[in-house]
Amino acid sequence: MRVFVAGGSGVLGRRLVPQLVERGHQVTATTTDESKLGMLKELGADAVVMDGLDAASVDEAVAGAHADAIVHQMTAIAGKPDIKHMDKWFATTNRLRTEGTDHLLAAAARHGSPHVVAQSYGNWNGIREGGWIKTEDDPLDLFEGTPANVGMRAIAHVEESVLAAGGAALRYGGLYGPGATDDQVTLIRKRQFPLVGRSNGYSSWVHLDDAAGATVLAVEQQARGVYNVVDDEPAPASEWLPYLAKCAGAKPPMRVPVWVARLMAGDVAVAMMTEGRAFSNAKAKRELGWRLRYPSWRQGFAEDLG
Ligand SMILES: NC(=O)c1ccc[n+]([C@@H]2O[C@H](COP(=O)([O-])OP(=O)(O)OC[C@H]3O[C@@H](n4cnc5c(N)ncnc54)[C@H](OP(=O)(O)O)[C@@H]3O)[C@@H](O)[C@H]2O)c1
C-alpha cells in the first residue's frame, strides 16, 4: 500500500515508518522541519515538509503522495508538562487535532479518498463513573469545566470526523519507549511528580513499538471505528508511578494530600491520580489480531528505562 504518515518524524512516527516499510508498504512521511528530511529518508520513506495547520500545504503534500491510506500522528506536546494549564500546554496539539484533522480529511476527499487512521487517546480519560476499565463502547470523559476540556473536545473531534469518513481512531494509552516519557521522567527525577492521596486512579500504557504495530494492522485492514491500543495491565498510579521511578533510577515519588495537589497542580492532576479510568485492549486483539511485544508496562519500563 502507499501510506502517508502525517507526523512521521515524531516519537511514534519514527517507530511506525520502519514497520510499514518492513511490511512492504511505500511510505511518504512528513515533518515541519527540513532538517529532519534526511532522517525520514533513512527510515525508508519519501520525506516531505508539511504544515498540518496550513490547508494548502496539507493539500499539496497529500496530492503528491497518491496514498491508499493516511495516518494522522501530528502532535506538539513536548516541553515541560503543565497539567494545571493543560489548555495552554496542549494549544497547538488541540489545533492539530481539530484544524489539522479537517485539513487532512478535506485533502483526502479531494485526492482519491484514502482510508484514514488517526491518533486518539485512551490513558486515564475514560468516563469517571462505574468500573475502572473501559471498552470502546464507553464514552471518554470530557472533563467539563477544567483546563482539560478543550483538549478532550479536540480528541472527540478527531474520533467523530475520522469515523464519519469511514476511518479508525486509535486510543493509544500513555506512550513509552525511546523519547516518549523523557518529560515525565525529568519531573520524576526532580521528585516533582508525587503520588496524590491514595493514588487509586487508573492509567493504561503502551510501548511505542506495540502502538506502531496496532497502527500497521489498522492500516492494512482498513479498520473502521474506535480501538483501544493499550497494554494488558491497566494499573493505579500507586503501582505504576513508584515502579516507573525505580526503573528510571529516581528516588521514590513523594506523597501529597489531595488538597495540596489540587492547589499545586490543579483539578485535572487530582482527577487523573485519584479517579482516572483506563482501558481494555480486547477489541484490538480480537478484531485486528494484535499481539503485544510488551504485554505489561512492568516489563516495558524495566527494559526501556532500566
Ligand atoms: N498517548 C500519549 O501518551 C502521547 C501521544 C503523543 C505524544 N506523547 C508524548 O509527547 C511527547 C512528544 O510528543 P510531541 O507531540 O511533542 O512530539 P513528536 O512526537 O515529535 O511530534 C509528533 C509529530 O507531529 C509533527 N508536528 C508538530 N507540529 C506540526 C505541524 N504544525 N504540522 C505538521 N506536523 C506537525 C511533528 O513534526 P516535526 O518533525 O515538525 O516536529 C512530529 O512528526 C512525548 O513525550 C510523547 O510520547 C504522548
Side-chain angles (χ1 to χ4, degrees):
M1 293 171 73
R2 298 181 69 100
V3 186
F4 180 89
V5 183
S9 57
V11 287
L12 182 48
R14 291 198 299 271
R15 314 296 285 196
L16 172 62
V17 169
Q19 287 197 25
L20 287 166
V21 170
E22 200 181 318
R23 303 264 292 192
H25 303 300
Q26 196 171 335
V27 180
T28 301
T30 81
T31 173
T32 61
D33 182 349
E34 241 173 74
S35 73
K36 295 184 189 166
L37 291 173
M39 178 265 290
L40 288 174
K41 285 181 193 153
E42 272 175 31
L43 295 179
D46 293 334
V48 294
V49 169
M50 180 188 89
D51 179 357
L53 298 175
D54 177 343
S57 171
V58 174
D59 191 76
E60 192 186 336
V62 170
H66 306 286
D68 304 303
I70 290 180
V71 184
H72 178 352
Q73 298 290 1
M74 299 184 293
T75 52
I77 303 169
K80 189 168 187 250
D82 185 3
I83 199 164
K84 192 169 188 181
H85 307 103
M86 213 163 166
D87 46 351
K88 294 195 183 77
W89 174 23
F90 269 73
T92 305
T93 298
N94 294 340
R95 287 188 64 201
L96 287 165
R97 285 177 166 158
T98 51
E99 294 162 52
T101 303
D102 292 349
H103 295 332
L104 275 177
L105 290 174
R110 273 194 295 271
H111 303 291
S113 297
H115 175 243
V116 177
V117 175
Q119 174 179 149
S120 180
Y121 188 58
N123 181 341
W124 44 270
N125 52 315
I127 189 87
R128 283 174 295 159
E129 53 193 45
W132 294 99
I133 316 298
K134 302 301 181 189
T135 72
E136 290 80 354
D137 294 333
D138 297 307
L140 298 182
D141 202 306
L142 289 174
F143 289 85
E144 299 282 0
T146 77
N149 180 243
V150 59
M152 297 307 173
R153 287 191 183 282
I155 287 165
H157 179 81
V158 171
E159 294 197 348
E160 283 159 20
S161 53
V162 168
L163 264 56
L170 306 184
R171 290 180 180 165
Y172 299 132
L175 294 169
Y176 69 92
T181 51
D182 295 359
D183 299 331
Q184 284 147 288
V185 167
T186 300
L187 287 186
I188 289 169
R189 289 215 169 98
K190 292 183 185 162
R191 304 192 90 194
Q192 290 175 3
F193 196 145
L195 291 162
V196 176
R198 290 171 56 217
S199 295
N200 54 331
Y202 271 66
S203 292
S204 278
W205 290 94
V206 67
H207 191 282
L208 289 171
D209 288 340
D210 284 327
T215 311
V216 172
L217 293 171
V219 166
E220 291 177 342
Q221 296 173 31
Q222 299 190 295
R224 284 169 166 250
V226 172
Y227 290 86
N228 297 337
V229 174
V230 298
D231 76 11
D232 290 353
E233 202 181 344
S238 59
E239 288 184 27
W240 65 257
L241 181 54
Y243 185 79
L244 176 53
K246 191 171 160 220
C247 291
K251 288 187 182 146
M254 314 258 234
R255 186 180 291 274
V256 299
V258 165
W259 70 269
V260 172
R262 203 178 295 286
L263 212 62
M264 293 181 66
D267 292 341
V268 180
V270 170
M272 177 183 108
M273 298 295 281
T274 63
E275 300 176 342
R277 297 298 199 272
F279 296 85
S280 156
N281 62 16
K283 181 182 174 188
K285 285 181 166 176
R286 190 177 63 240
E287 293 191 9
L288 302 177
W290 185 40
R291 298 286 170 269
L292 286 90
R293 186 169 155 214
Y294 301 94
S296 167
W297 47 268
R298 291 181 198 276
Q299 168 204 2
F301 289 174
E303 277 185 35
D304 187 55
L305 299 163

